[in-house]
Amino acid sequence: MTTYHGILHRYRGLLDLPDHTQTVSLLEGNTPLIPVPRLAQEMGGRFELYVKFEGLNPTGSFKDRGMTAAISEAAGRGVHTVICASTGNTAASAAAYAARAGMRAVVLIPQGKVAAGKLAGAAAYGAQIIQVQGSFDDALSMVVAISQKLPIALVNSLNPFRLEGQKTAAFEISDTLGNSPDWLCLPVGNAGNITAYWMGFRQYHHLKSAGLPRILGAQAAGAAPLVLGHPVEHPETVATAIRIGRPARGEQALEAIEQSQGRILAVSDEDILAMQRRLAGEGIWVEPASAAGLAGLEVEIRAGRLDPSGLRIVAVCTGHGLKDPEIITQRMRAPQVLPSDVKALEAALAQ
Ligand code: AN7
């Protein structure tokens, strides 16, 4: 039997981490690459479509890959406290890995704009949670400043070790498919993920002569600084995970887009929620932000700007639907109520 030990163990030789790194893992990674042929057919083409379901990581989002690396590095140099700003998923992940390492975690979140499952996660793992009266971008400025002043380790994706861990998702996709896909579609918020994927694919390109995918990044229309070409002061979207107006790694994201001959585009909240429903119709429930990459792909195919015929396309679904239950429960019809009586049930089923 081969036992799985997490991404640092599996890909250690390919990750640029210092010697002092002491592995802190929750056996993250190794997420499924799920074929969705019916969805591909509906989207109008003969092509291979896969969902890399990163919501199946230990805390329910892709952030765990980068977090195991950042916390392991910090643990190895005796860090006691870590801090991050977050739209929610980074906070839950930092809290979990800090707990695992026996560290204190402090997380700053934009007041009232974090989905319930993420807030609950950060609390369950025992983080100190601070709501900032401002946006994610404001919170990020605060944690950057304080980590320069106090002996506290910053674990946002400005931390280079986050990207080292995160890029393993690209390795997994290539290892599973036997080569890189033709396109990789993913949501873009603070732009750490897109930067890391591009690092990972380039590394496999040099190391194993794998092909290079074209990258399709999708931002929410109300929070699309990289599409607009300027920061967005008051970002707004139902996809609160990517409600970010000043992406820390925006320049690198644009480089990845340009170098890969890819594209970055804005998708409406309606398109995001429609794609969330369609994915759920395949049995894959993701949080709204996670549907943005596929929504972007669909928009491009529908508009005739991308012909998928014969291609192999991977869409990264970054977070689990359970992270944001309210987006569903607030919109659904209240479930039918019946007396505890089989006849009533029979009548209800006949309707
Ligand atoms: C589900 O948790 O920024 O472009 O603070 O939670 O690497 O920022 C989350 C981002 C996509 C965007 N999908 O990734 C945070 C945070 C989900 C996310 C993104 C996020 P980046």
Side-chain angles (χ1 to χ4, degrees):
M1 187 180 111
T2 49
T3 311
Y4 184 69
H5 296 289
I7 58 143
L8 295 191
H9 181 262
R10 178 164 180 197
Y11 292 112
R12 187 60 208 258
L14 302 178
L15 309 184
D16 190 7
L17 295 172
D19 290 340
H20 66 245
T21 302
Q22 275 176 18
T23 301
V24 178
S25 172
L26 289 163
L27 311 192
E28 58 295 314
N30 201 21
T31 56
L33 191 64
I34 308 173
V36 283
R38 187 171 53 190
L39 193 56
Q41 207 170 27
E42 284 170 16
M43 285 170 69
R46 287 175 179 277
F47 67 106
E48 280 178 50
L49 182 61
Y50 299 87
V51 166
K52 179 70 170 166
F53 195 11
E54 288 285 277
L56 293 179
N57 274 294
T59 77
S61 87
F62 75 104
K63 302 286 184 184
D64 295 342
R65 293 178 187 275
M67 204 55 72
T68 182
I71 297 288
S72 296
E73 187 280 330
R77 62 185 160 89
V79 164
H80 292 292
T81 305
V82 297
I83 195 164
C84 66
S86 179
T87 58
N89 279 325
T90 301
S93 186
Y97 284 81
R100 184 84 163 162
M103 293 175 189
R104 173 182 173 206
V106 183
V107 303
L108 273 66
I109 57 173
Q111 188 177 26
K113 295 291 182 181
V114 169
K118 304 174 189 181
L119 188 58
Y125 300 124
Q128 179 179 350
I129 304 171
I130 297 170
Q131 294 201 66
V132 174
Q133 294 172 318
S135 66
F136 165 83
D137 306 286
D138 299 325
L140 185 60
S141 306
M142 289 167 70
V143 297
V144 168
I146 206 75
S147 65
Q148 283 161 1
K149 193 165 171 203
L150 300 178
I152 299 178
L154 180 70
V155 294
N156 279 104
S157 60
L158 285 166
N159 178 324
F161 307 119
R162 282 278 309 278
L163 300 190
E164 288 301 312
Q166 185 56 48
K167 73 183 180 186
T168 59
F171 299 161
E172 284 182 13
I173 291 171
S174 297
D175 285 341
T176 303
L177 294 176
N179 201 343
S180 309
D182 296 299
W183 280 92
L184 183 88
C185 310
L186 79 174
V188 178
N190 211 27
N193 204 24
I194 187 171
T195 301
Y197 267 101
W198 187 235
M199 281 169 56
F201 283 121
R202 270 183 312 171
Q203 197 171 340
Y204 259 32
H205 178 63
H206 293 303
L207 222 69
K208 310 195 171 197
S209 307
L212 285 170
R214 300 176 73 175
I215 307 236
L216 186 157
Q219 299 204 286
L226 298 178
V227 180
L228 297 169
H230 59 75
V232 174
E233 210 49 52
H234 301 289
E236 230 14 285
T237 167
V238 292
T240 52
I242 51 174
R243 189 176 166 273
I244 294 174
R246 256 178 286 140
R249 293 204 180 259
E251 271 174 38
Q252 281 164 283
L254 292 174
E255 268 172 35
I257 297 290
E258 191 187 307
Q259 290 175 9
S260 76
Q261 298 177 296
R263 62 190 74 167
I264 180 104
L265 46 104
V267 289
S268 68
D269 280 1
E270 292 71 38
D271 283 344
I272 287 174
L273 292 178
M275 188 53 76
Q276 184 194 32
R277 281 191 294 274
R278 288 175 72 178
L279 278 165
E282 299 286 329
I284 303 170
W285 182 27
V286 306
E287 66 168 287
S290 299
L294 258 182
L297 176 67
E298 153 113 292
V299 165
E300 291 301 276
I301 293 175
R302 216 191 308 140
R305 287 187 292 262
L306 196 159
D307 178 7
S309 304
L311 300 183
R312 189 182 252 180
I313 301 181
V314 171
V316 182
C317 287
T318 42
H320 202 286
L322 286 165
K323 289 282 191 167
D324 193 353
E326 287 167 352
I327 209 81
I328 305 296
T329 54
Q330 282 170 359
R331 284 157 214 256
M332 74 184 198
R333 216 191 304 160
Q336 204 174 353
V337 179
L338 290 182
S340 62
D341 173 70
V342 178
K343 285 217 176 72
L345 176 60
E346 207 176 340
L349 294 181
Q351 279 170 20

